[in-house]
Amino acid sequence: MKNVKFFLIVAALLVVSTADAQLRFGVKGGVNVAKAKFEKKYFKSGNITGFHVGPTLEGMVGQGGIGIETAVLYSQKGFNSDNGKVRNAYMEIPLHLKFKLGLPLVNPYVAVGPYIDIRIAGDKKWDVSKTTEGIIHQIKTKSFGAGLDFSAGAEVFKNLQLGITYSLGLTDNYETFNVKDIESYKGKAHTWSVNATIFF
């Protein structure tokens, strides 16, 4: 609940600060490289690749300066394990505060802001007991996640943006169990993505 309140407060501030922004629509797509980091190292996770795609909206005050960016993305995340890949699809909704330098032809930008993930496909429970010592039966995947995005890139000829984003999970997206003490151990999502956005 605290994460949702934080997201709503940031969203309100960004909307108010960019009330006079010029809006434009586009489509964003790219490649995800995702993994999970657990509190305890009873379970080793590696990277998996996926993709993201969906409509995006940008509102900027001038060619250079400050603005907002948001999107509704179909995004694949998860991690690799000795017993196979844990992969889920999410509806990802980022809301970024964006700053452009305002240079001609190639216009660098940076962006930062919260995101939320809502699981829309993929299993909720994964059996990892066959090859992972000290783990009882399964990993649970949560239906909701949230975190912070850090992005940088450049706009080329005003209609194309190329960028890279690091998504730091702040909520526990995964949960697994240890045999000896029956305590659950949480895991957070960490994702790198390379993306391109075409504006109309």
Side-chain angles (χ1 to χ4, degrees), residues 21-98:
Q22 297 178 353
L23 299 179
R24 59 179 183 164
F25 296 89
V27 175
K28 175 179 288 189
V31 177
N32 293 340
V33 179
K35 69 177 301 183
K37 292 185 179 180
F38 287 85
E39 294 173 334
K40 300 286 185 178
K41 294 185 178 179
Y42 291 109
F43 184 80
K44 295 180 180 180
S45 68
N47 294 327
I48 67 164
T49 57
F51 70 91
H52 62 273
V53 64
T56 186
L57 172 67
E58 182 190 77
M60 298 295 300
V61 180
Q63 177 70 9
I66 199 167
I68 60 169
E69 180 185 61
T70 188
V72 179
L73 304 173
Y74 176 91
S75 184
Q76 294 179 329
K77 297 181 181 181
F79 57 90
N80 203 359
S81 72
D82 293 337
N83 201 41
K85 295 179 180 179
V86 174
R87 187 191 302 273
N88 293 99
Y90 296 88
M91 180 173 68
E92 181 178 340
I93 305 175
L95 182 60
H96 298 160
L97 182 65
K98 197 170 189 178

Side-chain angles (χ1 to χ4, degrees), residues 4 8 11 24 33 56 66 72 90 96 98 139 143 145 156 159 161 169 181 193:
V4 174
L8 292 176
R24 59 179 183 164
V33 179
T56 186
I66 199 167
V72 179
Y90 296 88
H96 298 160
K98 197 170 189 178
I139 287 175
S143 297
V156 183
N159 294 323
Q161 288 183 1
D181 52 24
S193 61

Side-chain angles (χ1 to χ4, degrees), residues 72-146:
V72 179
L73 304 173
Y74 176 91
S75 184
Q76 294 179 329
K77 297 181 181 181
F79 57 90
N80 203 359
S81 72
D82 293 337
N83 201 41
K85 295 179 180 179
V86 174
R87 187 191 302 273
N88 293 99
Y90 296 88
M91 180 173 68
E92 181 178 340
I93 305 175
L95 182 60
H96 298 160
L97 182 65
K98 197 170 189 178
F99 177 76
K100 294 181 182 179
L101 292 182
L103 300 180
L105 299 182
V106 178
N107 189 4
Y109 70 84
V110 293
V112 63
Y115 72 87
I116 60 171
D117 278 336
I118 301 171
R119 185 171 58 85
I120 57 176
D123 293 335
K124 184 175 181 178
K125 296 180 181 179
W126 305 78
D127 185 0
V128 295
S129 58
K130 295 178 182 179
T131 58
T132 308
E133 183 179 357
I135 302 295
I136 296 180
H137 301 308
Q138 65 188 19
I139 287 175
K140 295 180 181 179
T141 302
K142 303 297 180 66
S143 297
F144 175 85

